[in-house]
Amino acid sequence: MQKLLKINNNFAKLPANYLFVEIANRVEKYLKSHPGAEIIKLGIGDVTRPLPKAVVEAMKKAADEMGDSATFRGYGPEAGYPFLREAIAQNDFRSRGVDIEADEIFVSDGAKSDTGSIGDILGNDNIVAVCDPVYPVYVDTNVMAGRAGEYAEEKGFDRIVYMPCRRENNFLPELPSCRADMIYLCFPNNPTGMGIDRANLKKWVDYALENHSLILYDAAYEAFITDPDMPHSIFEIEGAKKCAIEFRSFSKTAGFTGIRCAYSIIPKELVFDGVSLNRLWDRRQSTKMNGVSYPVQRAAEAVYSEEGKRGIRENIACYQKNAKIMLDGFAKAGFEVFGGVNSPYVWLKVPDGFTSWEFFDLLLEKTNVVGTPGSGFGSCGEGYFRLTSFNTEENTKKAVERIVTTFAK
Ligand SMILES: Cc1ncc(COP(=O)(O)O)c(C=O)c1O
């Protein structure tokens, strides 16, 4: 009998990616019956402000270099050019008193790729722990790798440890009651918009050191931190270099969602099973990728110039202002609101009696504002709603005004 090619059947276990497709479908349907409705989108977490001038200039200059035989470059080092790795080590770590070396930094095209691929170097029978609600990439990529087990409605995957993040705990997860090998943490958090302070993060580092677990720390939103008690990096916590990998991105920090540049920090002290994870990741990356393009890395380097820093601070300040407008406005309208202070995301408690999706429909119908239902990020997100500050101030004000007028008690 002819042998048939097998596919990776783990993919069949993935829940269909309904969330943003479903949102788009509902908006489209609404627009069909209400042509010309002025919809304001505060749903998807994508930046809206243009790149700082210094970044654009650096990219143009690098493009010119590529067009000149004297300065043309072919393949670069897989883990990133030394000029960028050094700039990252200096500006994002040493300047904050965290000693990270350039060869502990791996430049990539995105924190999505890195958080999604890190499992390549980790055993498939590891137990994975994730927050609920959660950025779906952590779960789905472990489903693909076969670590998640079987899915059941309401319960989720039977080999994943879900760590509920509820209001009673300030939306922070509790330490898992059973053993977890790979623990995904994301602070400031997507979707709740809540951050973690040093004392609370230390509990996780201590847990990981005691249990020989690995923390996969996603700090994609660290640039939004305003609270001095909140660490920008997990490596500000003593001992973290022995138990954590950190993921960073230029996407939300510097408006690079369409440019694509990020990096992971894998300390050399991180040794499991007698093997250096830094060496394993280096091996994985140099086998599966050929680095990030030269003009993009020059653009990322320019983020650390004085003009670049000023430019990104201005952009972030605009988003922070929008978040404040939302927090103040929604509180005035009687909503309970969370997040938004150290994050571009505002996490709104939907009024009693509504599910997240029912509130989505109500908001669309009554205010023409689009957000993201919390239940789309996990069962503990039910009853909540995510709104983003990634829009113009004018649109944010308009959206808030419409919501306040509609819901004010
Ligand atoms: C928590 C989190 N991590 C990572 C990413 C992806 O970042 P990147 O654009 O660098 O792939 C996102 C994007 O929304 C995110 O919310």
Side-chain angles (χ1 to χ4, degrees):
M1 205 172 79
Q2 191 192 0
K3 264 197 153 183
L4 295 176
L5 174 118
K6 303 274 195 310
I7 58 149
N8 178 351
N9 268 318
N10 292 318
F11 277 67
K13 296 178 185 172
L14 285 172
N17 186 16
Y18 285 137
L19 184 60
F20 288 102
V21 176
E22 179 61 25
I23 289 174
N25 288 346
R26 289 192 192 203
V27 173
E28 197 183 297
K29 192 170 157 215
Y30 181 81
L31 275 172
K32 268 200 185 127
S33 53
H34 301 81
E38 195 204 337
I39 303 280
I40 300 178
K41 291 184 177 166
L42 302 178
I44 291 178
D46 194 0
V47 291
T48 49
R49 294 186 61 80
L51 294 168
K53 213 161 179 247
V55 170
V56 175
E57 289 308 319
M59 206 162 15
K60 281 186 186 165
K61 185 167 169 279
D64 284 341
E65 284 177 45
M66 297 300 262
D68 182 335
S69 58
T71 46
F72 170 80
R73 298 181 189 226
Y75 290 125
E78 290 96 345
Y81 280 101
F83 63 77
L84 179 56
R85 297 172 91 187
E86 197 42 58
I88 291 169
Q90 181 54 38
N91 290 280
D92 285 345
F93 297 97
R94 282 183 216 133
S95 69
R96 290 185 183 279
V98 181
D99 188 23
I100 292 291
E101 288 175 37
D103 59 359
E104 295 177 303
I105 293 164
F106 294 84
V107 176
S108 76
D109 71 329
K112 190 187 221 179
S113 322
D114 287 353
T115 52
S117 303
I118 196 69
D120 275 14
I121 62 166
L122 302 168
N124 275 353
D125 50 359
N126 283 330
I127 300 291
V128 171
V130 296
C131 292
D132 178 8
V134 67
Y135 175 55
V137 171
Y138 314 148
V139 175
D140 290 0
T141 53
N142 278 295
V143 174
M144 292 172 186
R147 284 190 199 97
E150 298 305 319
Y151 184 78
E153 206 54 55
E154 316 249 304
K155 287 191 180 144
F157 288 95
D158 62 3
R159 288 197 77 243
I160 290 208
V161 178
Y162 294 92
M163 306 181 292
C165 298
R166 298 203 171 94
R167 181 184 162 178
E168 308 82 273
N169 291 340
N170 235 354
F171 298 96
L172 292 181
E174 278 184 32
L175 296 171
S177 50
C178 53
R179 206 203 128 63
D181 301 297
M182 297 160 55
I183 303 170
Y184 289 83
L185 294 178
C186 170
F187 291 108
N189 188 261
N190 176 14
T192 68
M194 298 296 273
I196 192 165
D197 63 18
R198 283 187 184 78
N200 275 299
L201 189 54
K202 184 175 181 311
K203 288 184 199 162
W204 287 90
V205 170
D206 291 346
Y207 171 94
L209 289 172
E210 218 174 283
N211 292 280
H212 303 284
S213 311
L214 175 65
I215 297 176
L216 299 159
Y217 193 75
D218 188 341
Y221 296 96
E222 66 74 33
F224 288 81
I225 293 175
T226 53
D227 185 338
D229 286 339
M230 288 184 181
H232 288 250
S233 165
I234 194 168
F235 301 119
E236 290 178 41
I237 312 294
E238 204 189 326
K241 281 193 193 173
K242 288 190 163 51
C243 66
I245 289 175
E246 182 165 299
F247 305 98
R248 292 272 191 112
S249 173
F250 290 93
S251 283
K252 312 297 159 78
T253 308
F256 272 47
T257 52
I259 303 289
R260 310 307 303 144
C261 197
Y263 61 90
S264 295
I265 304 105
I266 311 198
K268 281 179 273 187
E269 287 174 46
L270 203 55
V271 174
F272 284 84
D273 246 354
V275 178
S276 153
L277 296 196
N278 178 291
R279 276 199 28 230
L280 278 193
W281 187 245
D282 195 32
R283 187 73 176 82
R284 187 265 177 207
Q285 291 295 80
S286 54
T287 302
K288 288 200 178 183
M289 78 174 303
N290 265 326
V292 173
S293 80
Y294 174 67
V296 165
Q297 292 194 60
R298 281 294 185 200
E301 181 193 29
V303 166
Y304 300 109
S305 65
E306 280 316 307
E307 213 193 316
K309 281 181 190 168
R310 204 173 325 117
I312 67 166
R313 264 200 308 270
E314 277 167 20
N315 280 351
I316 287 176
C318 291
Y319 298 133
Q320 285 169 328
K321 189 171 178 197
N322 289 346
K324 173 110 177 58
I325 291 168
M326 287 196 276
L327 288 177
D328 292 349
F330 297 148
K332 204 166 109 193
F335 285 104
E336 285 182 85
V337 270
F338 306 92
V341 178
N342 298 289
S343 159
Y345 298 122
V346 168
W347 192 236
L348 188 115
K349 174 93 183 69
V350 307
D352 286 344
F354 290 94
T355 66
S356 299
W357 274 113
E358 285 165 354
F359 184 69
F360 173 92
D361 290 332
L362 183 74
L363 208 63
L364 179 60
E365 172 78 32
K366 300 260 190 229
T367 69
N368 292 349
V369 174
V370 178
T372 309
S375 55
F377 300 100
S379 60
C380 291
E382 181 55 274
Y384 290 89
F385 202 72
R386 192 191 77 173
L387 290 157
T388 92
S389 60
F390 295 128
N391 211 312
T392 60
E393 184 177 333
E394 191 192 346
N395 277 345
T396 305
K397 280 184 173 157
K398 226 187 262 180
V400 169
E401 202 180 296
R402 289 185 199 168
I403 295 172
V404 170
T405 326
T406 308
F407 292 94
K409 284 177 181 161

